[in-house]
Every structure is written in structure tokens, then in C-alpha cells.
Amino acid sequence: MAQCILIGFMGSGKTTVGRLMAETTHTPHLDLDELIVAQSGQSINQIFAAHGEAYFRDLESQVLRSAMQAEGILSTGGGTPVREENRKILVQSGIPVIFLKASPEVIRARLKEASDRPLLRKLSAQQFVHLHEEREAYYAQAADLTVVTNHRKPADIVREILTRADLLESKRK
Ligand code: S3P
């Protein structure tokens, strides 16, 4: 069973923080996008281009179910909590779900050069802000903890998560 799940918008730090958190706690790191790429044998860009978003989302739900059973820190994709089915999987798992929250300005700056986010390519600045706002409501619904990542070092974020997730665990016991 995964020990902790990271959710949040593209560029919020899920992969970087997840990797460091796994290293710090000596557990494996699982990245949902990487698992999808490994299973399908295609890049995220190729999946979107060849099969469309709906196909990608079905694959994402399927891979999420199996990833939840594996040991480690799980970094999800930015769109994972948008599907109600996926939110249920996350919430009902009993595993701490951490929302890494970053402002649209910070995310835009972080992703300026990124070419591997097919969803971002077609969005205007206004559509981007709208998508960000819409998604934040889903992240908040699924999260046990929210950690703001704007202008912070990954190690600092990991420290905060570990302290607060620990508190969360002791409250549950
Ligand atoms: C997506 C986010 C991406 C990836 C795909 C769709 C999204 O993951 O799953 O491009 O809908 O926000 P990251 O959040 O890791 O970039």
C-alpha cells in the first residue's frame, strides 16, 4: 500500500518533492505518469496525440488503482483528482493525500519551457487561470493536508509534509 499520495497542478512540485520524500524516508517513489508511459510504451504526448484525452484518462484510472497497492510515495498527474472515480479511490484509501498548492504565476514561470504538457499548449493565459481555479476545488476535496510550495526549496516542503503527515497519523490512531 502506498504511504503517501501527492496531488496538485502541473508544475506544483509533485515529482520533485515525491522523489526527495522517498529518498528521505527510504521508500520507493512511484510516479503515475511514468507508470503510464511504461505500461503503454508511449510518451504522454504520444498518448494524447494518438488516442486523445479520454483514452489517457481511462489508462490513468487503471494505473492509479494498481499503483495504490504498491509500496512507496505516489506522485499523481495534475488531472488525476478531476475524475470523481479517482477522487473516491484517493479519499477512501485512508492514505494521507497531500495537496501541493502553487499559484498560477509560479506554475507558469516553472513550466515556461516545458514541452511535455499537452494540455497546456492550447490554453490562453485566461484559460490557464480558469483551469487552475477549477482544479484547485478538486484537489481540496481529495486532500487531507495542503502545503503551499511557492518559492520554497523541495527539502523545506518535504520537512513540512513529514511533520504534518505524522501529526495526521497520530490523530487517526
Ligand atoms: C496532466 C498533467 C500531467 C500529465 C498529463 C495531464 C493534467 O502530469 O498527467 O499531461 O491534466 O494536468 P503532471 O501534473 O505531472 O505534469
Side-chain angles (χ1 to χ4, degrees), residues 22-23 50 79 89 132 144 164:
E23 206 181 290
I89 296 175
H132 181 270
D144 296 301
R164 293 180 60 198

Side-chain angles (χ1 to χ4, degrees), residues 25-164:
T25 57
H26 309 287
T27 34
H29 178 236
L30 306 158
D31 186 273
L32 204 59
D33 282 344
E34 280 173 16
L35 295 171
I36 293 170
V37 169
Q39 179 163 324
S40 66
Q42 289 184 304
S43 70
I44 303 290
N45 274 340
Q46 283 169 337
I47 301 172
F48 269 79
H51 309 284
E53 184 174 349
Y55 176 93
F56 172 81
R57 296 300 172 197
D58 288 342
L59 199 57
E60 185 177 42
S61 295
Q62 190 194 319
V63 176
L64 174 66
R65 280 181 193 280
S66 58
M68 300 286 295
Q69 305 308 318
E71 171 100 356
I73 310 291
L74 175 64
S75 300
T76 57
T80 310
V82 174
R83 260 200 185 180
E84 192 186 354
E85 173 194 341
N86 296 349
R87 286 201 301 280
K88 271 199 184 137
I89 296 175
L90 297 176
V91 169
Q92 290 172 359
S93 68
I95 303 164
V97 177
I98 321 288
F99 166 24
L100 297 186
K101 187 176 164 96
S103 70
E105 297 75 26
V106 165
I107 290 173
R108 267 194 102 80
R110 283 186 191 157
L111 297 181
K112 224 162 49 196
E113 309 299 333
S115 60
D116 56 349
R117 304 305 205 289
L119 272 187
L120 282 191
R121 268 202 301 260
K122 50 182 189 201
L123 297 184
S124 68
Q126 205 184 357
Q127 286 168 326
F128 174 83
V129 171
H130 180 74
L131 181 73
H132 181 270
E133 199 178 295
E134 192 178 79
R135 292 254 179 112
E136 286 221 317
Y138 294 122
Y139 303 144
Q141 275 177 41
D144 296 301
L145 280 184
T146 299
V147 175
V148 176
T149 69
N150 294 333
H151 312 296
R152 290 177 71 187
K153 291 203 172 75
D156 181 34
I157 299 164
V158 168
R159 213 172 303 121
E160 178 176 343
I161 297 174
L162 291 176
T163 313
R164 293 180 60 198

